[in-house]
Amino acid sequence: MAKGETYEQFVEKFETKLTTDDCYTPEPVYEAVAGYVSERYGIPRSDMVRPFWPGGDYRSFDYRPGCCVVDNPPFSILAAIQRFYLDRGIRFFLFAPSLTCLSARSVAMEVNHLVCDCGVVYENGANPKTSFVTNMDPGTVMESYPELTRRVEAANRAVTKARSLPRYGYPPAVATAAMFQRYARHGVRLVVGAADCMHVSRLDAQRESKKGIFGGGLLLSKGKAAEHSEAADAVDAARLAAEGAATIVWELSDREVELQESLG
């Protein structure tokens, strides 16, 4: 460690940094783009190649005759990549950042900029607006393309939905610090005494799925659970109505109901 350097700063030097060049494309999004390229330009999928991957060198890739590069390149060297393909007569259809796709003056007049409004969420969490550049539309420099936008947006929504984490809810008999944090924020006062609760780390209903109560929780007596329910209703009615369809509610088992009976 360097003088004056904290442990966290020391460790951070060895971590892999994700940049805008690390926008690895979700497969459904790539498939939507590849399908479009195949339809518009008549290119078989077997002729499409993807020379960009972590640590790879697109310049040494084996470009077979007749191939077409359909891929998401590092945005920081997009101009150089286009120049490389243009000079060698290699067809390409590349992802590009929407707002700056036209900024490469050295190649701007030699390619078509298909400007879309696609908010693609890439594998590293980056969410830049995405468009495309290609050398397969001679004479065209820029066009807006609603159809490609629609296809990519639909694929992106499917990816985002698949990645979304399930929401967990608990019956009034369970209290957590996160719940009480909301009550404090909304001005709701609730006190739980030792006689009205016992500490629990998970409910029986969670064991099979190997889940647990994040941060631990309290199993409340019936009387205190009723108070808890009133507190939750005071601040959560709107949220529960909005999220209820996507919420997994863990219920008490018969054993836990018996434990509850012994409290209070």
Side-chain angles (χ1 to χ4, degrees):
M1 291 173 59
K3 185 177 180 180
E5 186 178 41
T6 66
Y7 176 75
E8 288 76 14
Q9 290 170 330
F10 173 75
V11 172
E12 186 180 10
K13 292 188 297 185
F14 301 96
E15 294 178 349
T16 301
K17 299 292 192 301
L18 288 176
T19 70
T20 53
D21 284 351
D22 296 304
C23 296
Y24 310 135
T25 313
E27 200 59 30
V29 172
Y30 179 82
E31 288 298 318
V33 174
Y36 168 82
V37 172
S38 182
E39 290 179 21
R40 174 162 174 165
Y41 301 101
I43 298 173
R45 292 296 300 272
S46 57
D47 285 344
M48 297 182 191
V49 296
R50 303 184 67 176
F52 300 101
W53 63 84
D57 182 4
Y58 73 94
R59 292 166 298 186
S60 61
F61 186 83
D62 182 17
Y63 296 97
R64 61 180 180 270
C67 72
C68 178
V69 179
V70 181
D71 208 353
N72 182 18
F75 291 168
S76 65
I77 56 172
L78 182 57
I81 291 170
Q82 293 178 83
R83 181 79 272 155
F84 178 87
Y85 291 144
L86 287 166
D87 290 346
R88 289 159 180 78
I90 299 172
R91 296 179 298 176
F92 64 81
F93 192 94
L94 303 174
F95 287 61
S98 288
L99 294 180
T100 59
C101 67
L102 198 62
S103 62
R105 296 181 61 182
S106 61
V107 295
M109 299 302 295
E110 299 178 65
V111 302
N112 186 18
H113 304 77
L114 288 86
V115 181
C116 299
D117 187 34
C118 308
V120 177
V121 179
Y122 292 95
E123 295 289 354
N124 67 340
N127 186 25
K129 288 291 186 179
T130 300
S131 291
F132 305 88
V133 291
T134 181
N135 59 351
M136 294 187 289
D137 294 314
T140 303
V141 176
M142 185 163 63
E143 64 178 291
S144 61
Y145 217 85
E147 174 60 19
L148 184 54
T149 296
R150 184 191 65 77
R151 294 193 192 190
V152 174
E153 283 283 271
N156 185 58
R157 284 194 298 270
V159 171
T160 303
K161 183 177 180 180
R163 286 180 183 168
S164 62
L165 297 175
R167 298 179 181 272
Y168 298 124
Y170 294 93
V174 175
T176 67
M179 297 173 187
F180 274 49
Q181 185 176 10
R182 289 199 301 274
Y183 304 158
R185 182 168 64 248
H186 292 282
V188 176
R189 171 81 169 159
L190 183 60
V191 179
V192 179
D196 284 311
C197 69
M198 65 182 296
H199 186 274
V200 290
S201 58
R202 69 166 54 173
L203 300 182
D204 290 346
Q206 295 176 304
R207 293 185 181 279
E208 184 176 350
S209 58
K210 297 182 180 180
K211 302 296 182 181
I213 301 173
F214 182 77
L218 298 175
L219 178 63
L220 305 178
S221 66
K222 285 191 172 182
K224 190 57 64 174
E227 293 182 39
H228 183 216
S229 180
E230 293 177 3
D233 289 343
V235 297
D236 280 352
R239 182 184 64 81
L240 291 175
E243 299 177 355
T247 298
I248 300 172
V249 178
W250 301 108
E251 300 293 348
L252 297 183
S253 67
D254 292 341
R255 182 189 69 83
E256 288 160 339
V257 171
E258 292 182 8
L259 285 173
Q260 186 185 33
E261 296 284 356
S262 68
L263 300 171

